[in-house]
Amino acid sequence: MKKSKKVFRSRISVLLIGCILAIFIPVSVSVWMITPRINESIYILGASLLFVIFIFSGMRYIISENRLYAKIWMIPFGSVKIADIASVKRSYNPISSPAASLKRLHLCFANRRFWLISPVREQEFIEELKSVNPDIMVNVPEKKGLWRIWDWDI
């Protein structure tokens, strides 16, 4: 029996990257003002930015048989049974989650837990979930408009 496995990478939001830069740049400038050694400040800022890029570029959601896994590169973030997913809806909740975007899917489970994730190919992702569990209620409107550029929310 062949195992089926689908991998979906996380959407990366320009707005979220801008928020992170808005935090890192003033901190690095203030460090440079306290200790005016520019080399150390540049190294700290560069290492911080590389770490954020490394984390953002490695977020993946894997659907394998009847489970959904969230990973950041090779590090598992968690897994759930797809049969436990009760509903999927749109969310812009900024709380910490394995998502590199603020445009997210809110996965509600039967035991009142939830995950916030942001797969790039949302419709294909939802179809894969529904192929395993057809009882999932989906409420994800696709909005089109002036402020939607390349499927990014500004």
Side-chain angles (χ1 to χ4, degrees):
M1 183 174 173
K2 187 178 178 182
K3 292 183 179 182
S4 65
K5 178 178 165 182
K6 277 280 211 173
V7 178
F8 298 86
R9 66 180 179 83
S10 178
R11 175 191 328 263
I12 298 176
S13 170
V14 173
L15 180 63
L16 197 56
I17 290 173
C19 291
I20 290 171
L21 287 176
I23 294 169
F24 279 118
I25 291 174
V27 168
S28 64
V29 168
S30 66
V31 167
W32 181 70
M33 296 297 269
I34 293 169
T35 59
R37 291 184 247 173
I38 192 139
N39 288 342
E40 291 175 9
S41 298
I42 289 174
Y43 292 145
I44 291 170
L45 178 63
S48 301
L49 290 176
L50 285 175
F51 179 72
V52 169
I53 291 168
F54 176 76
I55 294 295
F56 275 16
S57 65
M59 289 186 188
R60 304 276 187 266
Y61 314 109
I62 301 164
I63 297 175
S64 181
E65 293 184 8
N66 64 348
R67 294 194 72 82
L68 171 62
Y69 300 90
K71 288 187 175 185
I72 299 174
W73 290 102
M74 300 305 287
I75 303 166
F77 186 81
S79 72
V80 294
K81 288 183 182 176
I82 296 174
D84 292 342
I85 299 173
S87 66
V88 177
K89 59 186 177 181
R90 170 73 63 221
S91 176
Y92 295 95
N93 192 336
I95 66 171
S96 180
S97 66
S101 173
L102 294 176
K103 183 179 182 182
R104 299 172 174 184
L105 295 178
H106 184 271
L107 304 179
C108 300
F109 303 105
N111 60 2
R112 300 185 63 156
R113 290 185 322 138
F114 67 92
W115 269 13
L116 294 172
I117 61 175
S118 61
V120 170
R121 300 178 326 264
E122 283 182 346
Q123 292 304 321
E124 184 181 342
F125 180 80
I126 292 169
E127 288 171 11
E128 283 293 320
L129 291 179
K130 287 200 58 93
S131 71
V132 175
N133 181 3
D135 297 331
I136 297 174
M137 294 177 49
V138 178
N139 183 13
V140 181
E142 277 302 313
K143 296 180 181 176
K144 304 285 184 201
L146 181 63
W147 298 107
R148 311 279 190 236
I149 300 171
W150 293 337
D151 204 23
W152 293 342
D153 280 14
I154 297 176

